[in-house]
mmCIF file with all atom_site columns, all heavy atoms in Angstrom:
data_model
loop_
_atom_site.group_PDB
_atom_site.id
_atom_site.type_symbol
_atom_site.label_atom_id
_atom_site.label_alt_id
_atom_site.label_comp_id
_atom_site.label_asym_id
_atom_site.label_entity_id
_atom_site.label_seq_id
_atom_site.pdbx_PDB_ins_code
_atom_site.Cartn_x
_atom_site.Cartn_y
_atom_site.Cartn_z
_atom_site.occupancy
_atom_site.B_iso_or_equiv
_atom_site.pdbx_formal_charge
_atom_site.auth_seq_id
_atom_site.auth_comp_id
_atom_site.auth_asym_id
_atom_site.auth_atom_id
_atom_site.pdbx_PDB_model_num
ATOM 1   N N   . ALA A 1 40 ? 136.633 96.637  137.271 1.00 94.00 ? 41 ALA A N   1
ATOM 2   C CA  . ALA A 1 40 ? 137.707 95.796  136.769 1.00 94.00 ? 41 ALA A CA  1
ATOM 3   C C   . ALA A 1 40 ? 137.501 95.418  135.293 1.00 94.00 ? 41 ALA A C   1
ATOM 4   O O   . ALA A 1 40 ? 138.365 95.413  134.528 1.00 94.00 ? 41 ALA A O   1
ATOM 5   C CB  . ALA A 1 40 ? 137.622 94.360  137.574 1.00 94.00 ? 41 ALA A CB  1
ATOM 6   N N   . LEU A 1 41 ? 136.296 95.283  134.933 1.00 95.00 ? 42 LEU A N   1
ATOM 7   C CA  . LEU A 1 41 ? 135.935 95.047  133.470 1.00 95.00 ? 42 LEU A CA  1
ATOM 8   C C   . LEU A 1 41 ? 136.412 96.193  132.664 1.00 95.00 ? 42 LEU A C   1
ATOM 9   O O   . LEU A 1 41 ? 137.015 96.041  131.618 1.00 95.00 ? 42 LEU A O   1
ATOM 10  C CB  . LEU A 1 41 ? 134.449 94.873  133.327 1.00 95.00 ? 42 LEU A CB  1
ATOM 11  C CG  . LEU A 1 41 ? 133.862 93.473  133.799 1.00 95.00 ? 42 LEU A CG  1
ATOM 12  C CD1 . LEU A 1 41 ? 132.358 93.444  133.908 1.00 95.00 ? 42 LEU A CD1 1
ATOM 13  C CD2 . LEU A 1 41 ? 134.364 92.402  132.780 1.00 95.00 ? 42 LEU A CD2 1
ATOM 14  N N   . ASP A 1 42 ? 136.133 97.439  133.088 1.00 94.00 ? 43 ASP A N   1
ATOM 15  C CA  . ASP A 1 42 ? 136.532 98.628  132.359 1.00 94.00 ? 43 ASP A CA  1
ATOM 16  C C   . ASP A 1 42 ? 138.037 98.677  132.252 1.00 94.00 ? 43 ASP A C   1
ATOM 17  O O   . ASP A 1 42 ? 138.648 98.948  131.235 1.00 94.00 ? 43 ASP A O   1
ATOM 18  C CB  . ASP A 1 42 ? 136.020 99.857  133.120 1.00 94.00 ? 43 ASP A CB  1
ATOM 19  C CG  . ASP A 1 42 ? 134.605 100.052 133.097 1.00 94.00 ? 43 ASP A CG  1
ATOM 20  O OD1 . ASP A 1 42 ? 133.942 99.337  132.277 1.00 94.00 ? 43 ASP A OD1 1
ATOM 21  O OD2 . ASP A 1 42 ? 134.084 100.831 133.822 1.00 94.00 ? 43 ASP A OD2 1
ATOM 22  N N   . ARG A 1 43 ? 138.813 98.250  133.358 1.00 94.00 ? 44 ARG A N   1
ATOM 23  C CA  . ARG A 1 43 ? 140.246 98.290  133.272 1.00 94.00 ? 44 ARG A CA  1
ATOM 24  C C   . ARG A 1 43 ? 140.712 97.251  132.331 1.00 94.00 ? 44 ARG A C   1
ATOM 25  O O   . ARG A 1 43 ? 141.650 97.471  131.599 1.00 94.00 ? 44 ARG A O   1
ATOM 26  C CB  . ARG A 1 43 ? 140.846 97.919  134.716 1.00 94.00 ? 44 ARG A CB  1
ATOM 27  C CG  . ARG A 1 43 ? 140.712 99.121  135.674 1.00 94.00 ? 44 ARG A CG  1
ATOM 28  C CD  . ARG A 1 43 ? 141.574 98.959  136.912 1.00 94.00 ? 44 ARG A CD  1
ATOM 29  N NE  . ARG A 1 43 ? 141.322 97.790  137.747 1.00 94.00 ? 44 ARG A NE  1
ATOM 30  C CZ  . ARG A 1 43 ? 140.276 97.702  138.678 1.00 94.00 ? 44 ARG A CZ  1
ATOM 31  N NH1 . ARG A 1 43 ? 139.579 98.844  138.926 1.00 94.00 ? 44 ARG A NH1 1
ATOM 32  N NH2 . ARG A 1 43 ? 140.072 96.702  139.374 1.00 94.00 ? 44 ARG A NH2 1
ATOM 33  N N   . ILE A 1 44 ? 140.079 95.934  132.299 1.00 94.00 ? 45 ILE A N   1
ATOM 34  C CA  . ILE A 1 44 ? 140.574 94.970  131.345 1.00 94.00 ? 45 ILE A CA  1
ATOM 35  C C   . ILE A 1 44 ? 140.336 95.602  129.903 1.00 94.00 ? 45 ILE A C   1
ATOM 36  O O   . ILE A 1 44 ? 141.306 95.426  129.086 1.00 94.00 ? 45 ILE A O   1
ATOM 37  C CB  . ILE A 1 44 ? 139.620 93.717  131.500 1.00 94.00 ? 45 ILE A CB  1
ATOM 38  C CG1 . ILE A 1 44 ? 139.887 93.103  132.935 1.00 94.00 ? 45 ILE A CG1 1
ATOM 39  C CG2 . ILE A 1 44 ? 140.034 92.722  130.381 1.00 94.00 ? 45 ILE A CG2 1
ATOM 40  C CD1 . ILE A 1 44 ? 138.832 92.014  133.148 1.00 94.00 ? 45 ILE A CD1 1
ATOM 41  N N   . SER A 1 45 ? 139.193 96.106  129.677 1.00 94.00 ? 46 SER A N   1
ATOM 42  C CA  . SER A 1 45 ? 138.906 96.696  128.385 1.00 94.00 ? 46 SER A CA  1
ATOM 43  C C   . SER A 1 45 ? 139.876 97.713  127.943 1.00 94.00 ? 46 SER A C   1
ATOM 44  O O   . SER A 1 45 ? 140.530 97.609  126.883 1.00 94.00 ? 46 SER A O   1
ATOM 45  C CB  . SER A 1 45 ? 137.426 97.210  128.400 1.00 94.00 ? 46 SER A CB  1
ATOM 46  O OG  . SER A 1 45 ? 137.038 97.401  127.092 1.00 94.00 ? 46 SER A OG  1
ATOM 47  N N   . GLY A 1 46 ? 140.199 98.528  128.948 1.00 93.00 ? 47 GLY A N   1
ATOM 48  C CA  . GLY A 1 46 ? 141.132 99.677  128.590 1.00 93.00 ? 47 GLY A CA  1
ATOM 49  C C   . GLY A 1 46 ? 142.498 99.124  128.324 1.00 93.00 ? 47 GLY A C   1
ATOM 50  O O   . GLY A 1 46 ? 143.125 99.591  127.485 1.00 93.00 ? 47 GLY A O   1
ATOM 51  N N   . SER A 1 47 ? 142.932 98.097  129.178 1.00 93.00 ? 48 SER A N   1
ATOM 52  C CA  . SER A 1 47 ? 144.294 97.614  129.040 1.00 93.00 ? 48 SER A CA  1
ATOM 53  C C   . SER A 1 47 ? 144.432 96.944  127.677 1.00 93.00 ? 48 SER A C   1
ATOM 54  O O   . SER A 1 47 ? 145.499 97.046  127.071 1.00 93.00 ? 48 SER A O   1
ATOM 55  C CB  . SER A 1 47 ? 144.569 96.742  130.226 1.00 93.00 ? 48 SER A CB  1
ATOM 56  O OG  . SER A 1 47 ? 145.003 95.430  129.753 1.00 93.00 ? 48 SER A OG  1
ATOM 57  N N   . LEU A 1 48 ? 143.486 96.192  127.335 1.00 92.00 ? 49 LEU A N   1
ATOM 58  C CA  . LEU A 1 48 ? 143.556 95.517  125.951 1.00 92.00 ? 49 LEU A CA  1
ATOM 59  C C   . LEU A 1 48 ? 143.679 96.558  124.821 1.00 92.00 ? 49 LEU A C   1
ATOM 60  O O   . LEU A 1 48 ? 144.443 96.321  123.878 1.00 92.00 ? 49 LEU A O   1
ATOM 61  C CB  . LEU A 1 48 ? 142.237 94.701  125.727 1.00 92.00 ? 49 LEU A CB  1
ATOM 62  C CG  . LEU A 1 48 ? 142.189 93.331  126.507 1.00 92.00 ? 49 LEU A CG  1
ATOM 63  C CD1 . LEU A 1 48 ? 140.784 92.790  126.301 1.00 92.00 ? 49 LEU A CD1 1
ATOM 64  C CD2 . LEU A 1 48 ? 143.248 92.291  126.119 1.00 92.00 ? 49 LEU A CD2 1
ATOM 65  N N   . GLU A 1 49 ? 142.908 97.606  124.922 1.00 91.00 ? 50 GLU A N   1
ATOM 66  C CA  . GLU A 1 49 ? 142.879 98.581  123.900 1.00 91.00 ? 50 GLU A CA  1
ATOM 67  C C   . GLU A 1 49 ? 144.289 99.365  123.889 1.00 91.00 ? 50 GLU A C   1
ATOM 68  O O   . GLU A 1 49 ? 144.855 99.481  122.864 1.00 91.00 ? 50 GLU A O   1
ATOM 69  C CB  . GLU A 1 49 ? 141.734 99.592  124.288 1.00 91.00 ? 50 GLU A CB  1
ATOM 70  C CG  . GLU A 1 49 ? 141.167 100.299 122.964 1.00 91.00 ? 50 GLU A CG  1
ATOM 71  C CD  . GLU A 1 49 ? 140.026 101.210 123.443 1.00 91.00 ? 50 GLU A CD  1
ATOM 72  O OE1 . GLU A 1 49 ? 139.091 100.609 124.030 1.00 91.00 ? 50 GLU A OE1 1
ATOM 73  O OE2 . GLU A 1 49 ? 140.011 102.265 122.921 1.00 91.00 ? 50 GLU A OE2 1
ATOM 74  N N   . GLU A 1 50 ? 144.649 99.699  125.071 1.00 91.00 ? 51 GLU A N   1
ATOM 75  C CA  . GLU A 1 50 ? 145.856 100.570 125.191 1.00 91.00 ? 51 GLU A CA  1
ATOM 76  C C   . GLU A 1 50 ? 147.110 99.726  124.727 1.00 91.00 ? 51 GLU A C   1
ATOM 77  O O   . GLU A 1 50 ? 147.923 100.309 123.983 1.00 91.00 ? 51 GLU A O   1
ATOM 78  C CB  . GLU A 1 50 ? 146.220 100.869 126.683 1.00 91.00 ? 51 GLU A CB  1
ATOM 79  C CG  . GLU A 1 50 ? 145.878 102.202 127.178 1.00 91.00 ? 51 GLU A CG  1
ATOM 80  C CD  . GLU A 1 50 ? 146.039 102.389 128.553 1.00 91.00 ? 51 GLU A CD  1
ATOM 81  O OE1 . GLU A 1 50 ? 147.159 102.031 129.022 1.00 91.00 ? 51 GLU A OE1 1
ATOM 82  O OE2 . GLU A 1 50 ? 145.180 102.805 129.272 1.00 91.00 ? 51 GLU A OE2 1
ATOM 83  N N   . GLY A 1 51 ? 147.107 98.453  125.065 1.00 89.00 ? 52 GLY A N   1
ATOM 84  C CA  . GLY A 1 51 ? 148.305 97.642  124.690 1.00 89.00 ? 52 GLY A CA  1
ATOM 85  C C   . GLY A 1 51 ? 148.229 97.318  123.205 1.00 89.00 ? 52 GLY A C   1
ATOM 86  O O   . GLY A 1 51 ? 149.131 96.539  122.740 1.00 89.00 ? 52 GLY A O   1
ATOM 87  N N   . GLY A 1 52 ? 147.178 97.652  122.478 1.00 90.00 ? 53 GLY A N   1
ATOM 88  C CA  . GLY A 1 52 ? 147.213 97.404  121.054 1.00 90.00 ? 53 GLY A CA  1
ATOM 89  C C   . GLY A 1 52 ? 146.934 95.839  120.875 1.00 90.00 ? 53 GLY A C   1
ATOM 90  O O   . GLY A 1 52 ? 147.370 95.338  119.756 1.00 90.00 ? 53 GLY A O   1
ATOM 91  N N   . HIS A 1 53 ? 146.249 95.227  121.870 1.00 92.00 ? 54 HIS A N   1
ATOM 92  C CA  . HIS A 1 53 ? 146.014 93.775  121.616 1.00 92.00 ? 54 HIS A CA  1
ATOM 93  C C   . HIS A 1 53 ? 145.020 93.444  120.622 1.00 92.00 ? 54 HIS A C   1
ATOM 94  O O   . HIS A 1 53 ? 144.214 94.129  120.178 1.00 92.00 ? 54 HIS A O   1
ATOM 95  C CB  . HIS A 1 53 ? 145.536 93.243  122.962 1.00 92.00 ? 54 HIS A CB  1
ATOM 96  C CG  . HIS A 1 53 ? 146.736 93.044  123.981 1.00 92.00 ? 54 HIS A CG  1
ATOM 97  N ND1 . HIS A 1 53 ? 147.560 91.987  124.029 1.00 92.00 ? 54 HIS A ND1 1
ATOM 98  C CD2 . HIS A 1 53 ? 147.083 93.836  124.988 1.00 92.00 ? 54 HIS A CD2 1
ATOM 99  C CE1 . HIS A 1 53 ? 148.439 92.156  124.991 1.00 92.00 ? 54 HIS A CE1 1
ATOM 100 N NE2 . HIS A 1 53 ? 148.208 93.274  125.590 1.00 92.00 ? 54 HIS A NE2 1
ATOM 101 N N   . ALA A 1 54 ? 145.205 92.219  120.141 1.00 92.00 ? 55 ALA A N   1
ATOM 102 C CA  . ALA A 1 54 ? 144.231 91.705  119.133 1.00 92.00 ? 55 ALA A CA  1
ATOM 103 C C   . ALA A 1 54 ? 142.884 91.291  119.664 1.00 92.00 ? 55 ALA A C   1
ATOM 104 O O   . ALA A 1 54 ? 141.995 91.022  118.947 1.00 92.00 ? 55 ALA A O   1
ATOM 105 C CB  . ALA A 1 54 ? 144.820 90.470  118.428 1.00 92.00 ? 55 ALA A CB  1
#
Side-chain angles (χ1 to χ4, degrees):
Chain A
L42 286 165
D43 292 343
R44 286 197 295 280
I45 298 168
S46 194
S48 121
L49 287 171
E50 207 174 313
E51 260 175 52
H54 281 279

